[in-house]
């Protein structure tokens, strides 16, 4: 399928807010508009993703257990699962058996290449559709090799379940608030679906806050006061974009899930 690319440049509103000098911090939100572009991939070069920005996770996870979530896919760097075409990054899940896995897909990351503390991270994405599909755009602490998850921290900018096409959610994971106890919030479209058009998913992250946006709309702010444990978001994180299949959260694909399914990424941009 050929699609025509256009760019939607950041148009976040500058929101002026009255800062109240009191203990009622839940009535005050920190909102910023960061405009200094420090990293961008517009996916304009055909073929494999830019190796100066991206590398891959391969396989079924370090313990072979579906990345700790009982996911069903085997991640590859094959062009059938990940490639740039017509100005888009395409991450495609296929129904095929490799090393005991029932599906293949891809998981890109900037680990060891681009890692940043604070800033605005955003991507413009069109989702796939079908039960059991689990695309995500997220950040992981760069110290996870030393401080095991969730001590290193995880910031989920966008997660999506393929059989719920009007809703995404953003969350954070850390010590005392991980997995099913993570801190986050869903965002639902009142008109439209995430699998029929592109939408911009982003965070603005600074000391003591992480703001969550969809198409420039601020829908949640998470601060140290919101989590049931240590705040572990004051060090560099790297970017991950992936599409899992199956697992504890979405469940397995059913007879109505069609394959292949593709997550289409228009761009990834990072600002300070």
């Amino acid at each position: 399928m050929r699609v025509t690319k256009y760019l939607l440049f950041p148009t976040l509103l500058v929101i002026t807010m009255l800062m109240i000098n009191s203990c009622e911090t839940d009535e005050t939100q920190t909102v910023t508009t960061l405009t200094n572009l420090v990293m961008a991939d517009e996916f304009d070069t055909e073929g494999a993703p830019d190796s100066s920005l991206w590398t891959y996770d391969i396989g079924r996870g370090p313990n072979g257990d579906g990345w700790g979530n009982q996911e069903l896919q085997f991640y590859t760097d094959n062009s059938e699962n990940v490639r740039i075409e017509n100005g888009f990054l395409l991450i495609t899940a296929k129904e095929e058996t490799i090393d005991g896995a029932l599906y293949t897909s891809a998981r890109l990351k900037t680990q060891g290449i681009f890692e940043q503390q604070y800033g605005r991270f955003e991507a413009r994405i069109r989702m796939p559709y079908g039960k059991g599909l689990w695309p995500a755009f997220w950040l992981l602490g760069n110290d996870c090799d030393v401080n095991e998850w969730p001590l290193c921290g995880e910031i989920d900018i966008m997660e999506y379940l393929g059989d719920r096409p009007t809703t995404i959610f953003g969350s954070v994971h850390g010590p005392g608030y991980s997995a099913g106890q993570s801190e986050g919030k869903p965002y639902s479209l009142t008109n439209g679906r995430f699998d029929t058009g592109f939408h911009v998913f982003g965070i603005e992250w600074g000391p003591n806050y992480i703001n969550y946006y969809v198409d420039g709309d601020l829908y949640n702010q998470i601060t140290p006061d919101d989590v049931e444990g240590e705040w572990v978001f004051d060090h560099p994180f790297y970017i991950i974009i992936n599409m899992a299949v199956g697992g504890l959260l979405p469940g397995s694909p059913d007879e109505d899930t069609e394959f292949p399914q593709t997550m289409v990424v228009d761009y990834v941009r990072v600002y300070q």
Side-chain angles (χ1 to χ4, degrees):
M1 177 182 66
R2 185 178 181 87
V3 286
T4 302
K5 177 176 181 179
Y6 67 92
L7 296 181
L8 178 65
F9 287 94
T11 57
L12 294 180
L13 296 177
V14 178
I15 303 175
T16 302
M17 305 189 71
L18 176 64
M19 305 301 291
I20 304 172
N21 293 320
S22 74
C23 61
E24 297 177 350
T25 55
D26 60 328
E27 295 181 2
T28 302
Q29 287 187 322
T30 302
V31 180
T32 61
T33 302
L34 304 174
T35 59
N36 179 30
L37 185 66
V38 295
M39 179 274 203
D41 198 336
E42 307 292 338
F43 303 115
D44 288 334
T45 301
E46 300 277 309
D50 185 351
S51 61
S52 70
L53 287 176
W54 303 99
T55 183
Y56 306 88
D57 280 319
I58 304 294
R60 302 197 66 186
N63 301 315
D65 60 354
W67 302 94
N69 298 310
Q70 299 178 23
E71 298 166 22
L72 302 177
Q73 80 288 333
F74 186 101
Y75 285 131
T76 85
D77 60 358
N78 297 334
S79 61
E80 293 85 359
N81 296 117
V82 56
R83 67 187 185 278
I84 296 171
E85 186 176 294
N86 298 327
F88 296 96
L89 171 66
L90 307 179
I91 298 178
T92 300
K94 298 180 64 180
E95 190 172 15
E96 58 182 345
T97 302
I98 295 182
D99 195 28
L102 301 177
Y103 306 90
T104 60
S105 187
R107 173 162 150 163
L108 279 73
K109 61 183 183 178
T110 64
Q111 183 179 20
I113 301 173
F114 177 82
E115 300 171 350
Q116 180 169 293
Q117 178 177 334
Y118 309 144
R120 184 164 96 236
F121 295 73
E122 66 180 32
R124 185 171 181 264
I125 304 172
R126 189 181 70 202
M127 301 301 171
Y129 175 76
K131 181 171 174 51
L133 302 176
W134 187 7
F137 169 45
W138 52 297
L139 310 179
L140 194 61
N142 70 344
D143 60 343
C144 275
D145 290 340
V146 177
N147 296 312
E148 289 189 5
W149 185 93
L151 296 177
C152 60
E154 175 181 330
I155 303 172
D156 296 324
I157 301 172
M158 178 282 302
E159 291 185 87
Y160 165 88
L161 304 181
D163 59 343
R164 304 177 190 177
T166 63
T167 301
I168 60 93
F169 54 96
S171 58
V172 295
H173 301 253
Y177 50 100
S178 62
Q181 285 72 49
S182 63
E183 176 65 33
K185 185 176 181 180
Y187 178 94
S188 295
L189 293 173
T190 55
N191 295 293
R193 296 161 48 129
F194 288 110
D195 63 320
T196 58
F198 286 92
H199 296 271
V200 178
F201 308 97
I203 59 166
E204 287 201 348
W205 163 35
N208 298 320
Y209 71 93
I210 303 171
N211 289 338
Y212 284 79
Y213 298 87
V214 174
D215 297 328
D217 295 330
L218 172 66
Y219 74 94
N220 195 25
Q221 178 174 86
I222 300 175
T223 74
D225 291 337
D226 297 316
V227 301
E228 297 293 331
E230 181 185 358
W231 183 257
V232 289
F233 306 103
D234 295 313
H235 64 278
F237 280 57
Y238 59 88
I239 300 169
I240 302 175
I241 304 176
N242 70 289
M243 180 159 58
V245 181
L248 296 173
L249 186 58
S252 298
D254 62 19
E255 63 277 7
D256 295 323
T257 308
E258 297 181 359
F259 288 93
Q261 287 284 339
T262 300
M263 175 186 188
V264 184
V265 185
D266 184 6
Y267 62 72
V268 176
R269 298 173 184 165
V270 182
Y271 299 80
Q272 285 182 334

